[in-house]
Amino acid sequence: MFKGLFQRPVRSMPSAVTLKTDGLDMTNIPKHVAIIMDGNGRWAKAQGKARTYGHKAGAETLKTIVRAADTLGIKAITAYAFSTENWKRPVTEVHFIMELLSRYLTSEIEDFKANNVQVRFMGSREGLPAIVNEKMDHAIDETKNDTGIILNLAINYGGQAEILHAVRSIAQQVANGTLNVEDIDAPVFENNLYSKGLPSPDLMIRTGGDLRVSNFLLWQIAYSEIWTTPVYWPDFSPDMLIEAIKVYQSRERRFGGLVQK
Ligand code: FPP
């Protein structure tokens, strides 16, 4: 499918990155960073290229950022690769992104393993091409014992759909008699989300200039610090990640409480 669109194979994960960490507090690195990788299409258009060119460049940027994040000590990255709303895009673009994901999961698997990256996914598997589902299962299986950074890819993901999925699952457990209504609390709810087992993001980054959440991690970002940049995702760099973390470190996180002075 769409073979001609790919002139070259997706490159492998960049090896060691030199990071400018001056001024960064290495004792206060966010554990989990969520990223809305927006602006691929506009980045490509600005160069007179097809939007798909931007997605391909965006996949490269993700590799660079995962590597940098790992070096900085970030424990997990959740990246919004395809939303439940992205199906509304032209069928050629949807096919391209699915093909890109499929190729990415093949071309990167050895690098993930070599770099101890554990791959996870969040989102609905329904409606995804069988080959993408197979590659996702394979990536999970191949990297499940890796103990380094977690790369959690949100694919066919929507925050509202995730909450509905959790509600249905909890309702089913109540109907089965395996859960009492009075035992439903935040930890139980979180155990029924796709993000089960991951802490809430400390920091959410959105590239591309828009100031909205776009149905990403609606439950999980309750107390996440948000940092945005007008820079399009393919131009996002490790230096910008460091800048975002510095801003994060300058924020006072109160989680609704008061900070003792
Ligand atoms: C947002 O840019 C990006 C997407 C909807 C898809 C994200 C996909 C990638 C980064 C590449 C695929 C990822 C992997 C892991 C292979 P946009 O298209 O909304 O850009 P625009 O706002 O400029 O239109």
Side-chain angles (χ1 to χ4, degrees):
M1 153 167 85
F2 295 96
K3 285 204 175 65
L5 292 172
F6 292 89
Q7 257 105 53
R8 285 174 287 126
V10 178
R11 287 198 306 273
S12 63
M13 200 166 168
S15 51
V17 258
T18 314
L19 299 170
K20 294 187 213 121
T21 55
D22 296 358
L24 196 64
D25 177 358
M26 297 306 285
T27 67
N28 184 21
I29 298 292
K31 288 187 181 63
H32 183 185
V33 178
I35 309 180
I36 300 179
M37 308 180 284
D38 199 17
N40 293 345
R42 282 167 285 165
W43 180 87
K45 209 175 157 202
Q47 300 172 60
K49 303 251 170 62
R51 293 175 52 79
T52 47
Y53 182 75
H55 294 316
K56 197 168 170 219
E60 294 294 330
T61 302
L62 182 59
K63 283 189 278 183
T64 304
I65 295 304
V66 170
R67 193 86 184 97
D70 193 24
T71 307
L72 289 169
I74 291 168
K75 303 294 180 206
I77 293 276
T78 293
Y80 209 1
F82 193 83
S83 79
T84 45
E85 286 69 40
N86 287 152
W87 296 106
K88 294 178 200 158
R89 294 188 176 204
V91 71
T92 48
E93 182 169 338
V94 170
H95 281 183
F96 185 92
I97 295 175
M98 290 300 148
E99 176 87 16
L100 184 61
L101 276 167
S102 170
R103 284 179 179 248
Y104 186 84
L105 293 175
T106 300
S107 64
E108 297 316 305
I109 205 74
E110 290 310 319
D111 269 3
F112 288 146
K113 282 159 61 178
N115 289 291
N116 209 14
V117 177
Q118 188 187 109
V119 184
R120 297 190 192 179
F121 299 96
M122 67 190 315
S124 172
R125 297 296 201 98
E126 275 173 41
L128 292 176
I131 185 73
V132 172
N133 269 319
E134 279 165 32
K135 300 242 177 117
M136 287 163 77
D137 287 337
H138 185 247
I140 292 170
D141 199 49
E142 287 286 314
T143 66
K144 63 177 186 285
N145 296 322
D146 289 353
T147 52
I149 192 167
I150 293 168
L151 172 58
N152 185 34
L153 288 172
I155 297 175
N156 198 15
Y157 173 84
Q160 292 178 340
E162 178 184 35
I163 289 170
L164 286 173
H165 175 266
V167 168
R168 281 197 200 102
S169 159
I170 287 170
Q172 192 63 59
Q173 292 162 55
V174 171
N176 293 345
T178 54
L179 181 65
N180 295 320
V181 169
E182 53 275 19
D183 292 334
I184 301 171
D185 56 10
V188 166
F189 193 78
E190 284 167 2
N191 265 333
N192 286 277
L193 292 171
Y194 295 129
S195 55
K196 177 182 173 178
L198 273 180
S200 294
D202 304 292
L203 171 65
M204 184 168 88
I205 292 173
R206 178 170 189 143
T207 62
D210 284 330
L211 300 177
R212 53 176 170 261
V213 171
S214 295
N215 203 12
F216 194 37
L217 305 173
L218 296 182
W219 171 280
Q220 298 89 338
I221 59 165
Y223 287 104
S224 303
E225 296 298 327
I226 299 178
W227 183 88
T228 63
T229 174
V231 168
Y232 297 145
W233 174 250
D235 283 336
F236 189 74
S237 65
D239 283 348
M240 292 173 201
L241 176 64
I242 289 170
E243 189 189 330
I245 298 173
K246 282 184 183 166
V247 171
Y248 163 83
Q249 292 179 341
S250 73
R251 305 252 181 100
E252 189 181 77
R253 301 192 76 194
R254 293 191 297 276
F255 300 93
L258 294 173
V259 168
Q260 302 288 326
K261 299 262 182 198

Short mmCIF file of all heavy atoms in Angstrom, two decimals, residues 122-187:
data_model
loop_
_atom_site.label_atom_id
_atom_site.label_comp_id
_atom_site.label_asym_id
_atom_site.label_seq_id
_atom_site.Cartn_x
_atom_site.Cartn_y
_atom_site.Cartn_z
N MET A 122 -1.48 3.24 23.65
CA MET A 122 -2.79 3.51 24.24
C MET A 122 -3.75 3.90 23.12
O MET A 122 -3.36 4.54 22.15
CB MET A 122 -2.71 4.58 25.33
CG MET A 122 -2.35 5.94 24.86
SD MET A 122 -1.98 7.11 26.22
CE MET A 122 -3.29 6.80 27.37
N GLY A 123 -5.00 3.45 23.26
CA GLY A 123 -5.99 3.75 22.23
C GLY A 123 -6.75 2.49 21.89
O GLY A 123 -6.47 1.40 22.41
N SER A 124 -7.74 2.66 21.00
CA SER A 124 -8.55 1.50 20.61
C SER A 124 -7.89 0.76 19.45
O SER A 124 -7.47 1.38 18.47
CB SER A 124 -9.94 1.97 20.20
OG SER A 124 -10.65 0.88 19.65
N ARG A 125 -7.84 -0.56 19.57
CA ARG A 125 -7.26 -1.37 18.49
C ARG A 125 -8.26 -1.58 17.36
O ARG A 125 -7.89 -1.96 16.27
CB ARG A 125 -6.83 -2.73 19.04
CG ARG A 125 -5.73 -2.67 20.08
CD ARG A 125 -4.43 -2.12 19.46
NE ARG A 125 -3.29 -2.53 20.26
CZ ARG A 125 -2.52 -3.57 19.98
NH1 ARG A 125 -2.74 -4.31 18.92
NH2 ARG A 125 -1.50 -3.87 20.76
N GLU A 126 -9.55 -1.30 17.67
CA GLU A 126 -10.59 -1.53 16.66
C GLU A 126 -10.46 -0.52 15.53
O GLU A 126 -10.29 0.67 15.77
CB GLU A 126 -11.98 -1.39 17.28
CG GLU A 126 -12.45 -2.67 17.93
CD GLU A 126 -13.74 -2.47 18.70
OE1 GLU A 126 -14.62 -1.75 18.20
OE2 GLU A 126 -13.83 -3.01 19.80
N GLY A 127 -10.51 -1.02 14.31
CA GLY A 127 -10.45 -0.13 13.15
C GLY A 127 -9.06 0.06 12.61
O GLY A 127 -8.87 0.61 11.52
N LEU A 128 -8.05 -0.36 13.36
CA LEU A 128 -6.68 -0.24 12.85
C LEU A 128 -6.42 -1.37 11.86
O LEU A 128 -6.93 -2.49 12.04
CB LEU A 128 -5.67 -0.34 14.00
CG LEU A 128 -5.64 0.82 15.00
CD1 LEU A 128 -4.65 0.51 16.12
CD2 LEU A 128 -5.27 2.12 14.30
N PRO A 129 -5.60 -1.12 10.82
CA PRO A 129 -5.28 -2.21 9.90
C PRO A 129 -4.64 -3.38 10.66
O PRO A 129 -3.90 -3.18 11.63
CB PRO A 129 -4.25 -1.57 8.95
CG PRO A 129 -4.47 -0.09 9.07
CD PRO A 129 -4.96 0.15 10.46
N ALA A 130 -4.94 -4.60 10.21
CA ALA A 130 -4.44 -5.79 10.90
C ALA A 130 -2.92 -5.76 11.03
O ALA A 130 -2.36 -6.11 12.07
CB ALA A 130 -4.89 -7.04 10.14
N ILE A 131 -2.25 -5.29 9.99
CA ILE A 131 -0.77 -5.28 10.01
C ILE A 131 -0.27 -4.35 11.11
O ILE A 131 0.73 -4.65 11.78
CB ILE A 131 -0.19 -4.92 8.61
CG1 ILE A 131 1.34 -5.01 8.57
CG2 ILE A 131 -0.62 -3.55 8.14
CD1 ILE A 131 1.85 -6.40 8.58
N VAL A 132 -0.95 -3.23 11.31
CA VAL A 132 -0.54 -2.29 12.36
C VAL A 132 -0.75 -2.95 13.73
O VAL A 132 0.14 -2.92 14.60
CB VAL A 132 -1.29 -0.94 12.25
CG1 VAL A 132 -1.01 -0.05 13.45
CG2 VAL A 132 -0.91 -0.23 10.95
N ASN A 133 -1.90 -3.60 13.91
CA ASN A 133 -2.15 -4.32 15.17
C ASN A 133 -1.09 -5.38 15.43
O ASN A 133 -0.60 -5.53 16.55
CB ASN A 133 -3.54 -4.96 15.14
CG ASN A 133 -4.61 -4.03 15.70
OD1 ASN A 133 -4.39 -3.35 16.70
ND2 ASN A 133 -5.76 -3.99 15.06
N GLU A 134 -0.73 -6.11 14.37
CA GLU A 134 0.30 -7.16 14.53
C GLU A 134 1.63 -6.57 14.94
O GLU A 134 2.31 -7.06 15.84
CB GLU A 134 0.50 -7.91 13.20
CG GLU A 134 -0.54 -8.98 12.95
CD GLU A 134 -0.54 -9.42 11.49
OE1 GLU A 134 0.54 -9.41 10.85
OE2 GLU A 134 -1.63 -9.77 10.98
N LYS A 135 2.01 -5.48 14.28
CA LYS A 135 3.31 -4.84 14.60
C LYS A 135 3.30 -4.25 16.01
O LYS A 135 4.31 -4.25 16.70
CB LYS A 135 3.62 -3.77 13.57
CG LYS A 135 3.72 -4.32 12.15
CD LYS A 135 5.07 -4.12 11.56
CE LYS A 135 5.15 -4.75 10.19
NZ LYS A 135 5.39 -3.79 9.14
N MET A 136 2.14 -3.75 16.42
CA MET A 136 2.04 -3.21 17.78
C MET A 136 2.24 -4.34 18.79
O MET A 136 3.02 -4.20 19.75
CB MET A 136 0.66 -2.55 17.98
CG MET A 136 0.53 -1.22 17.24
SD MET A 136 -1.18 -0.66 17.06
CE MET A 136 -1.57 -0.05 18.67
N ASP A 137 1.57 -5.46 18.56
CA ASP A 137 1.73 -6.61 19.47
C ASP A 137 3.18 -7.08 19.50
O ASP A 137 3.72 -7.40 20.56
CB ASP A 137 0.82 -7.78 19.02
CG ASP A 137 -0.64 -7.50 19.30
OD1 ASP A 137 -0.91 -6.69 20.20
OD2 ASP A 137 -1.50 -8.08 18.62
N HIS A 138 3.78 -7.11 18.32
CA HIS A 138 5.17 -7.55 18.22
C HIS A 138 6.10 -6.60 19.00
O HIS A 138 6.97 -7.04 19.75
CB HIS A 138 5.57 -7.63 16.74
CG HIS A 138 6.93 -8.19 16.52
ND1 HIS A 138 7.97 -7.45 16.01
CD2 HIS A 138 7.43 -9.42 16.75
CE1 HIS A 138 9.05 -8.19 15.95
NE2 HIS A 138 8.76 -9.40 16.39
N ALA A 139 5.88 -5.29 18.83
CA ALA A 139 6.73 -4.31 19.51
C ALA A 139 6.57 -4.43 21.03
O ALA A 139 7.55 -4.37 21.78
CB ALA A 139 6.36 -2.90 19.05
N ILE A 140 5.33 -4.65 21.48
CA ILE A 140 5.09 -4.81 22.93
C ILE A 140 5.86 -6.04 23.42
O ILE A 140 6.59 -5.99 24.42
CB ILE A 140 3.58 -4.97 23.23
CG1 ILE A 140 2.83 -3.68 22.94
CG2 ILE A 140 3.35 -5.41 24.67
CD1 ILE A 140 1.31 -3.80 22.97
N ASP A 141 5.69 -7.13 22.68
CA ASP A 141 6.29 -8.39 23.10
C ASP A 141 7.82 -8.32 23.11
O ASP A 141 8.47 -8.75 24.06
CB ASP A 141 5.81 -9.49 22.15
CG ASP A 141 6.00 -10.85 22.77
OD1 ASP A 141 5.61 -10.99 23.94
OD2 ASP A 141 6.60 -11.73 22.13
N GLU A 142 8.37 -7.71 22.07
CA GLU A 142 9.83 -7.65 21.94
C GLU A 142 10.48 -6.76 22.99
O GLU A 142 11.66 -6.93 23.30
CB GLU A 142 10.21 -7.14 20.55
CG GLU A 142 9.97 -8.13 19.43
CD GLU A 142 11.03 -9.24 19.43
OE1 GLU A 142 12.22 -8.92 19.55
OE2 GLU A 142 10.63 -10.41 19.32
N THR A 143 9.76 -5.77 23.47
CA THR A 143 10.39 -4.79 24.37
C THR A 143 9.85 -4.85 25.79
O THR A 143 10.19 -4.01 26.62
CB THR A 143 10.21 -3.35 23.82
OG1 THR A 143 8.81 -3.00 23.84
CG2 THR A 143 10.75 -3.20 22.41
N LYS A 144 9.00 -5.84 26.07
CA LYS A 144 8.30 -5.84 27.37
C LYS A 144 9.25 -5.96 28.57
O LYS A 144 8.91 -5.50 29.66
CB LYS A 144 7.22 -6.93 27.42
CG LYS A 144 7.71 -8.35 27.31
CD LYS A 144 6.53 -9.31 27.46
CE LYS A 144 6.94 -10.76 27.50
NZ LYS A 144 7.32 -11.33 26.20
N ASN A 145 10.43 -6.53 28.34
CA ASN A 145 11.37 -6.65 29.46
C ASN A 145 12.40 -5.51 29.49
O ASN A 145 13.29 -5.52 30.34
CB ASN A 145 12.08 -8.00 29.41
CG ASN A 145 11.10 -9.15 29.60
OD1 ASN A 145 10.16 -9.03 30.41
ND2 ASN A 145 11.26 -10.22 28.85
N ASP A 146 12.28 -4.57 28.56
CA ASP A 146 13.21 -3.44 28.57
C ASP A 146 12.91 -2.56 29.78
O ASP A 146 11.75 -2.33 30.12
CB ASP A 146 13.09 -2.62 27.27
CG ASP A 146 13.66 -3.38 26.07
OD1 ASP A 146 14.25 -4.46 26.29
OD2 ASP A 146 13.52 -2.91 24.94
N THR A 147 13.97 -2.06 30.37
CA THR A 147 13.80 -1.34 31.64
C THR A 147 14.13 0.15 31.52
O THR A 147 14.18 0.86 32.51
CB THR A 147 14.70 -1.97 32.72
OG1 THR A 147 16.04 -2.02 32.20
CG2 THR A 147 14.25 -3.38 33.09
N GLY A 148 14.40 0.61 30.28
CA GLY A 148 14.72 2.03 30.09
C GLY A 148 13.47 2.85 29.89
O GLY A 148 12.39 2.51 30.40
N ILE A 149 13.60 3.90 29.13
CA ILE A 149 12.46 4.82 28.92
C ILE A 149 11.28 4.07 28.29
O ILE A 149 11.47 3.15 27.48
CB ILE A 149 12.89 6.03 28.06
CG1 ILE A 149 11.82 7.13 28.09
CG2 ILE A 149 13.22 5.62 26.63
CD1 ILE A 149 12.29 8.47 27.51
N ILE A 150 10.08 4.46 28.68
CA ILE A 150 8.86 3.92 28.07
C ILE A 150 8.42 4.88 26.97
O ILE A 150 8.28 6.08 27.21
CB ILE A 150 7.74 3.78 29.13
CG1 ILE A 150 8.12 2.71 30.17
CG2 ILE A 150 6.40 3.46 28.47
CD1 ILE A 150 7.23 2.70 31.41
N LEU A 151 8.25 4.34 25.77
CA LEU A 151 7.66 5.13 24.68
C LEU A 151 6.23 4.63 24.52
O LEU A 151 5.99 3.51 24.07
CB LEU A 151 8.45 4.94 23.37
CG LEU A 151 7.77 5.58 22.14
CD1 LEU A 151 7.55 7.07 22.33
CD2 LEU A 151 8.58 5.31 20.87
N ASN A 152 5.30 5.47 24.96
CA ASN A 152 3.88 5.11 24.93
C ASN A 152 3.24 5.87 23.77
O ASN A 152 3.10 7.09 23.81
CB ASN A 152 3.26 5.53 26.28
CG ASN A 152 1.83 5.11 26.43
OD1 ASN A 152 1.43 4.05 25.93
ND2 ASN A 152 1.06 5.92 27.12
N LEU A 153 2.89 5.14 22.72
CA LEU A 153 2.34 5.79 21.53
C LEU A 153 0.82 5.76 21.59
O LEU A 153 0.22 4.69 21.72
CB LEU A 153 2.82 5.08 20.27
CG LEU A 153 4.30 5.28 19.91
CD1 LEU A 153 4.69 4.36 18.76
CD2 LEU A 153 4.58 6.73 19.55
N ALA A 154 0.21 6.94 21.51
CA ALA A 154 -1.25 7.03 21.49
C ALA A 154 -1.70 6.91 20.03
O ALA A 154 -1.43 7.79 19.22
CB ALA A 154 -1.70 8.35 22.11
N ILE A 155 -2.36 5.80 19.74
CA ILE A 155 -2.79 5.52 18.36
C ILE A 155 -4.28 5.18 18.39
O ILE A 155 -4.70 4.32 19.17
CB ILE A 155 -1.97 4.34 17.78
CG1 ILE A 155 -0.50 4.73 17.71
CG2 ILE A 155 -2.51 3.92 16.41
CD1 ILE A 155 0.43 3.62 17.26
N ASN A 156 -5.04 5.82 17.52
CA ASN A 156 -6.50 5.71 17.56
C ASN A 156 -6.98 6.00 18.98
O ASN A 156 -7.76 5.27 19.56
CB ASN A 156 -6.96 4.31 17.10
CG ASN A 156 -8.43 4.30 16.72
OD1 ASN A 156 -9.04 5.34 16.53
ND2 ASN A 156 -9.00 3.11 16.61
N TYR A 157 -6.41 7.08 19.50
CA TYR A 157 -6.65 7.47 20.89
C TYR A 157 -7.49 8.74 20.96
O TYR A 157 -7.26 9.70 20.21
CB TYR A 157 -5.33 7.71 21.62
CG TYR A 157 -5.57 8.27 23.00
CD1 TYR A 157 -5.84 7.41 24.07
CD2 TYR A 157 -5.61 9.64 23.23
CE1 TYR A 157 -6.13 7.92 25.33
CE2 TYR A 157 -5.90 10.16 24.48
CZ TYR A 157 -6.15 9.29 25.52
OH TYR A 157 -6.45 9.80 26.77
N GLY A 158 -8.41 8.77 21.90
CA GLY A 158 -9.14 9.98 22.26
C GLY A 158 -9.42 9.92 23.74
O GLY A 158 -9.77 8.85 24.27
N GLY A 159 -9.27 11.03 24.43
CA GLY A 159 -9.47 11.04 25.88
C GLY A 159 -10.90 10.70 26.27
O GLY A 159 -11.14 9.97 27.23
N GLN A 160 -11.86 11.21 25.49
CA GLN A 160 -13.26 10.92 25.83
C GLN A 160 -13.57 9.44 25.60
O GLN A 160 -14.22 8.79 26.42
CB GLN A 160 -14.19 11.81 24.99
CG GLN A 160 -14.09 13.28 25.37
CD GLN A 160 -14.96 14.19 24.53
OE1 GLN A 160 -15.38 13.82 23.43
NE2 GLN A 160 -15.21 15.38 25.02
N ALA A 161 -13.06 8.91 24.49
CA ALA A 161 -13.26 7.48 24.20
C ALA A 161 -12.62 6.62 25.30
O ALA A 161 -13.17 5.59 25.71
CB ALA A 161 -12.69 7.13 22.84
N GLU A 162 -11.46 7.05 25.77
CA GLU A 162 -10.77 6.30 26.83
C GLU A 162 -11.60 6.28 28.12
O GLU A 162 -11.74 5.24 28.78
CB GLU A 162 -9.40 6.93 27.11
CG GLU A 162 -8.65 6.22 28.23
CD GLU A 162 -7.34 6.89 28.59
OE1 GLU A 162 -7.27 8.13 28.54
OE2 GLU A 162 -6.38 6.16 28.92
N ILE A 163 -12.19 7.44 28.45
CA ILE A 163 -13.02 7.52 29.67
C ILE A 163 -14.26 6.64 29.51
O ILE A 163 -14.63 5.89 30.42
CB ILE A 163 -13.34 8.99 29.99
CG1 ILE A 163 -12.06 9.69 30.49
CG2 ILE A 163 -14.45 9.09 31.04
CD1 ILE A 163 -12.15 11.20 30.63
N LEU A 164 -14.87 6.69 28.33
CA LEU A 164 -16.06 5.83 28.09
C LEU A 164 -15.68 4.35 28.19
O LEU A 164 -16.43 3.54 28.75
CB LEU A 164 -16.65 6.12 26.71
CG LEU A 164 -17.42 7.44 26.59
CD1 LEU A 164 -17.82 7.69 25.15
CD2 LEU A 164 -18.66 7.42 27.49
N HIS A 165 -14.53 4.02 27.64
CA HIS A 165 -14.04 2.63 27.70
C HIS A 165 -13.88 2.19 29.16
O HIS A 165 -14.28 1.09 29.55
CB HIS A 165 -12.71 2.56 26.93
CG HIS A 165 -12.03 1.24 26.99
ND1 HIS A 165 -11.06 0.95 27.93
CD2 HIS A 165 -12.18 0.13 26.25
CE1 HIS A 165 -10.65 -0.29 27.74
NE2 HIS A 165 -11.30 -0.81 26.73
N ALA A 166 -13.32 3.09 29.97
CA ALA A 166 -13.11 2.76 31.40
C ALA A 166 -14.46 2.61 32.11
O ALA A 166 -14.64 1.68 32.91
CB ALA A 166 -12.28 3.86 32.05
N VAL A 167 -15.40 3.50 31.79
CA VAL A 167 -16.73 3.44 32.43
C VAL A 167 -17.41 2.11 32.08
O VAL A 167 -17.97 1.43 32.96
CB VAL A 167 -17.60 4.65 32.00
CG1 VAL A 167 -19.05 4.45 32.40
CG2 VAL A 167 -17.05 5.94 32.60
N ARG A 168 -17.33 1.73 30.80
CA ARG A 168 -17.96 0.46 30.39
C ARG A 168 -17.32 -0.72 31.11
O ARG A 168 -17.99 -1.63 31.58
CB ARG A 168 -17.80 0.26 28.88
CG ARG A 168 -18.78 1.08 28.11
CD ARG A 168 -18.93 0.58 26.67
NE ARG A 168 -19.49 1.67 25.89
CZ ARG A 168 -18.79 2.46 25.09
NH1 ARG A 168 -17.51 2.25 24.90
NH2 ARG A 168 -19.37 3.45 24.46
N SER A 169 -16.00 -0.68 31.19
CA SER A 169 -15.28 -1.78 31.83
C SER A 169 -15.66 -1.89 33.32
O SER A 169 -15.90 -2.98 33.84
CB SER A 169 -13.77 -1.56 31.62
OG SER A 169 -13.04 -2.25 32.56
N ILE A 170 -15.74 -0.74 33.98
CA ILE A 170 -16.10 -0.73 35.40
C ILE A 170 -17.56 -1.20 35.58
O ILE A 170 -17.86 -2.01 36.47
CB ILE A 170 -15.88 0.69 35.99
CG1 ILE A 170 -14.36 0.94 36.13
CG2 ILE A 170 -16.58 0.86 37.33
CD1 ILE A 170 -13.98 2.36 36.47
N ALA A 171 -18.44 -0.71 34.69
CA ALA A 171 -19.85 -1.12 34.78
C ALA A 171 -19.98 -2.63 34.61
O ALA A 171 -20.76 -3.29 35.31
CB ALA A 171 -20.67 -0.39 33.71
N GLN A 172 -19.18 -3.18 33.71
CA GLN A 172 -19.20 -4.63 33.47
C GLN A 172 -18.75 -5.40 34.72
O GLN A 172 -19.35 -6.41 35.10
CB GLN A 172 -18.26 -4.96 32.29
CG GLN A 172 -18.41 -6.37 31.76
CD GLN A 172 -19.80 -6.62 31.18
OE1 GLN A 172 -20.22 -5.95 30.26
NE2 GLN A 172 -20.52 -7.57 31.76
N GLN A 173 -17.71 -4.87 35.38
CA GLN A 173 -17.22 -5.53 36.60
C GLN A 173 -18.28 -5.48 37.72
O GLN A 173 -18.44 -6.43 38.48
CB GLN A 173 -15.92 -4.87 37.07
CG GLN A 173 -14.75 -5.10 36.12
CD GLN A 173 -13.62 -4.12 36.36
OE1 GLN A 173 -13.13 -3.99 37.47
NE2 GLN A 173 -13.22 -3.41 35.32
N VAL A 174 -19.00 -4.36 37.78
CA VAL A 174 -20.08 -4.24 38.78
C VAL A 174 -21.18 -5.25 38.43
O VAL A 174 -21.67 -5.98 39.30
CB VAL A 174 -20.63 -2.79 38.85
CG1 VAL A 174 -21.89 -2.74 39.73
CG2 VAL A 174 -19.56 -1.84 39.39
N ALA A 175 -21.52 -5.31 37.13
CA ALA A 175 -22.58 -6.23 36.69
C ALA A 175 -22.19 -7.69 36.95
O ALA A 175 -23.04 -8.52 37.33
CB ALA A 175 -22.87 -6.02 35.20
N ASN A 176 -20.90 -7.98 36.80
CA ASN A 176 -20.40 -9.36 37.04
C ASN A 176 -20.31 -9.69 38.53
O ASN A 176 -20.04 -10.83 38.89
CB ASN A 176 -18.98 -9.54 36.48
CG ASN A 176 -18.95 -9.45 34.98
OD1 ASN A 176 -19.98 -9.54 34.34
ND2 ASN A 176 -17.76 -9.30 34.42
N GLY A 177 -20.40 -8.67 39.36
CA GLY A 177 -20.27 -8.88 40.80
C GLY A 177 -18.83 -8.93 41.27
O GLY A 177 -18.55 -9.30 42.41
N THR A 178 -17.88 -8.49 40.41
CA THR A 178 -16.47 -8.50 40.83
C THR A 178 -16.02 -7.16 41.40
O THR A 178 -14.89 -7.03 41.87
CB THR A 178 -15.54 -8.89 39.65
OG1 THR A 178 -15.81 -8.01 38.56
CG2 THR A 178 -15.75 -10.33 39.22
N LEU A 179 -16.90 -6.17 41.35
CA LEU A 179 -16.55 -4.84 41.89
C LEU A 179 -17.80 -4.24 42.53
O LEU A 179 -18.89 -4.30 41.97
CB LEU A 179 -16.06 -3.94 40.74
CG LEU A 179 -15.61 -2.52 41.09
CD1 LEU A 179 -14.37 -2.52 41.99
CD2 LEU A 179 -15.32 -1.73 39.82
N ASN A 180 -17.61 -3.67 43.74
CA ASN A 180 -18.72 -2.99 44.41
C ASN A 180 -18.72 -1.52 44.03
O ASN A 180 -17.64 -0.91 43.96
CB ASN A 180 -18.58 -3.09 45.94
CG ASN A 180 -18.70 -4.52 46.41
OD1 ASN A 180 -19.54 -5.29 45.90
ND2 ASN A 180 -17.84 -4.90 47.35
N VAL A 181 -19.90 -0.96 43.84
CA VAL A 181 -20.01 0.46 43.44
C VAL A 181 -19.24 1.35 44.41
O VAL A 181 -18.52 2.26 44.01
CB VAL A 181 -21.50 0.88 43.36
CG1 VAL A 181 -21.63 2.39 43.22
CG2 VAL A 181 -22.18 0.18 42.19
N GLU A 182 -19.34 1.04 45.72
CA GLU A 182 -18.69 1.91 46.71
C GLU A 182 -17.15 1.80 46.68
O GLU A 182 -16.45 2.62 47.26
CB GLU A 182 -19.23 1.67 48.13
CG GLU A 182 -19.20 0.24 48.62
CD GLU A 182 -20.44 -0.57 48.17
OE1 GLU A 182 -21.15 -0.19 47.22
OE2 GLU A 182 -20.68 -1.59 48.81
N ASP A 183 -16.64 0.81 45.97
CA ASP A 183 -15.17 0.68 45.86
C ASP A 183 -14.60 1.42 44.64
O ASP A 183 -13.39 1.39 44.40
CB ASP A 183 -14.78 -0.81 45.77
CG ASP A 183 -15.05 -1.53 47.08
OD1 ASP A 183 -15.04 -0.86 48.13
OD2 ASP A 183 -15.28 -2.76 47.04
N ILE A 184 -15.47 2.04 43.87
CA ILE A 184 -14.97 2.78 42.69
C ILE A 184 -14.36 4.10 43.17
O ILE A 184 -15.06 4.97 43.67
CB ILE A 184 -16.10 3.06 41.66
CG1 ILE A 184 -16.72 1.74 41.19
CG2 ILE A 184 -15.55 3.85 40.47
CD1 ILE A 184 -17.98 1.93 40.36
N ASP A 185 -13.05 4.19 43.04
CA ASP A 185 -12.35 5.42 43.41
C ASP A 185 -11.33 5.75 42.31
O ASP A 185 -11.29 5.06 41.28
CB ASP A 185 -11.68 5.27 44.79
CG ASP A 185 -10.72 4.09 44.84
OD1 ASP A 185 -10.43 3.50 43.77
OD2 ASP A 185 -10.24 3.74 45.93
N ALA A 186 -10.54 6.78 42.53
CA ALA A 186 -9.61 7.21 41.47
C ALA A 186 -8.63 6.09 41.07
O ALA A 186 -8.44 5.85 39.86
CB ALA A 186 -8.86 8.47 41.90
N PRO A 187 -8.00 5.39 42.03
CA PRO A 187 -7.08 4.31 41.60
C PRO A 187 -7.80 3.23 40.78
O PRO A 187 -7.24 2.72 39.80
CB PRO A 187 -6.53 3.75 42.92
CG PRO A 187 -6.66 4.89 43.89
CD PRO A 187 -7.89 5.63 43.48
#
